[in-house]
Amino acid sequence: MSLDITFLGTGSAYPSPMRGASALVLRREGQCWLFDCGEGTQTQLMRSHLRAARITKIFITHLHGDHFFGLPGLLCTLSLQSSPDTSRRPVDIYGPLGLRSFLRRSLELSHSQLLFPYAVHELVPTRDQCPDGEFKDFSGLDRDEEAPQGPLGQVLHLDPGEDSYLLLEDEQLVLRAFRLFHRIPSFGFVLQEKPRPGKLDVQKLKDLG
C-alpha cells in the first residue's frame, strides 16, 4: 500500500499569501483524503500536483474556522468540475457534531446544488473535551425540520473500550478518530496499516541452507 502526504497549509487563524490555513492530503491507492479544509485550500490544491477531483474522503478535526471554512467552497468547485453521475459514491465527510448542519445551511443559503452526493459522519464529543463554558450541545440542530434528501451519514459515539471512534476498516488498514482536548471539542485521526504476510522464496532459502 502506497501512502503519500502533501501539506497544503500549516498556518493557524487565517491564511497568508505564503502559508495556507490548515489542510493536508493523504494519497492512497489513487484516492485523496483531505484532512482539514481551511480557507484557501482549493487554491493550494490548484498550485499542487494533486487532482481535487480524486478527493473521496474529508476529515475535519474541529469547528474552528481556520480548519473548515474552506469546505463549502471546495465542494462547490468540485461540483462545477463534475458531471451528474447517479452511480457515483458519496464523498464521505467526517467531523464533530454540528458539521452536517453547517454544510447544509451553507449550501442552502448560497443556493448551491452539488452534482455529486455527500455524507457527513458526525463524531459526538464527550463533555470533558473542553471547558464547560465552551461546550455546546449541537445534537438538536435541525431536529424539527424536514430532512434533506440523500445520504445523511452516521452519528458516531465513542467506543469506551477502545477510547476511540471506528471510522472505517478494510483489508489493508483501520482508521480511527480519538479525542483531543482543546478549547472546543476536537479530534485526531490515526491510520493504522494492518500486518501483511511477507513473500519468501522457500526453495532459495533451502538452497542457501
Side-chain angles (χ1 to χ4, degrees):
M1 179 174 64
S2 62
L3 296 174
D4 179 83
I5 291 178
T6 301
F7 290 90
L8 298 176
T10 58
S12 63
Y14 54 86
S16 74
M18 301 299 295
R19 190 180 187 192
S22 181
L24 71 85
V25 170
L26 171 73
R27 284 195 301 173
R28 178 212 174 205
E29 308 296 326
Q31 299 181 37
C32 289
W33 294 0
L34 176 64
F35 291 81
D36 276 343
C37 188
E39 289 178 81
T41 294
Q42 56 180 313
T43 304
Q44 294 293 88
L45 276 166
M46 294 173 190
R47 291 174 175 166
S48 75
H49 60 284
L50 303 170
R51 292 182 58 192
R54 291 188 179 272
I55 294 174
T56 57
K57 299 187 187 302
I58 299 172
F59 304 86
I60 302 298
T61 58
H62 63 294
L63 300 184
H64 273 153
D66 55 336
H67 290 259
F68 80 117
F69 276 170
L71 185 53
L74 174 64
L75 293 178
C76 290
T77 296
L78 292 178
S79 181
L80 288 172
Q81 297 173 349
S82 303
S83 55
D85 182 1
T86 56
S87 64
R88 178 172 171 176
R89 289 182 57 84
V91 173
D92 288 305
I93 304 171
Y94 297 84
L97 196 65
L99 181 59
R100 181 184 298 140
S101 181
F102 167 81
L103 270 181
R104 178 185 174 190
R105 294 293 185 210
S106 298
L107 297 174
E108 182 181 19
L109 290 171
S110 61
H111 296 265
S112 302
Q113 295 183 338
L114 303 184
L115 295 180
F116 57 86
Y118 73 94
V120 180
H121 309 286
E122 294 185 303
L123 308 177
V124 179
T126 58
R127 283 193 169 270
D128 61 345
Q129 278 183 254
C130 68
D132 287 339
E134 297 286 350
F135 188 90
K136 294 182 180 178
D137 184 359
F138 294 128
S139 58
L141 290 176
D142 302 331
R143 178 179 294 165
D144 299 326
E145 298 193 18
E146 182 180 349
Q149 296 195 358
L152 288 177
Q154 300 173 291
V155 176
L156 304 170
H157 294 268
L158 179 73
D159 179 348
E162 296 287 342
D163 196 27
S164 64
Y165 304 72
L166 178 62
L167 305 186
L168 61 95
E169 182 173 8
D170 61 24
E171 310 80 31
Q172 294 182 317
L173 59 81
V174 178
L175 181 64
R176 293 182 179 273
F178 61 94
R179 295 177 298 163
L180 296 176
F181 300 86
H182 187 32
R183 193 161 60 83
I184 63 173
S186 305
F187 299 91
F189 301 97
V190 172
L191 188 151
Q192 183 176 13
E193 190 175 3
K194 290 184 176 180
R196 291 178 295 169
K199 295 180 180 180
L200 294 177
D201 186 334
V202 177
Q203 186 57 49
K204 188 169 185 178
L205 289 173
K206 288 180 178 179
D207 293 343
L208 292 171

